[in-house]
Amino acid sequence: YHLGVIYQRTEQLKKALTHHKTSLDIQLQHYSSTDTLLSNTYNSLGGVYLAQKDYNQALIHLHQALDVRLRNPNPTDTSVVYN
């Protein structure tokens, strides 16, 4: 996850996507579908797609981030995905 963030901040977007997708694959195997870590990763993927101007993929991933937050039994940080 953090490698993806670093690559995104240094505008190495293809590497960022690769690391975020790998992180998501691992998270989906080991965490609940309502874990906020998944939401963070979906949100990061949406940000990378947004930076690449792939607005369709950005919307898909940002909506997934919101969905995870809203299904979380304690959605205290839901505002994060609205930024």
Side-chain angles (χ1 to χ4, degrees), residues 4 8 13 16-17 20 43-53:
Q8 184 174 354
L13 301 178
L17 271 180
H20 284 311
N43 198 48
S44 293
L45 280 163
V48 174
Y49 284 119
L50 184 63
Q52 291 181 326
K53 297 182 176 20

Side-chain angles (χ1 to χ4, degrees), residues 24-44:
L24 182 62
D25 289 341
I26 293 167
Q27 291 167 5
L28 287 170
Q29 292 174 29
H30 298 284
Y31 293 92
S32 161
S33 64
T34 60
D35 193 293
T36 56
L37 189 58
L38 288 171
S39 178
N40 293 343
T41 303
Y42 282 126
N43 198 48
S44 293

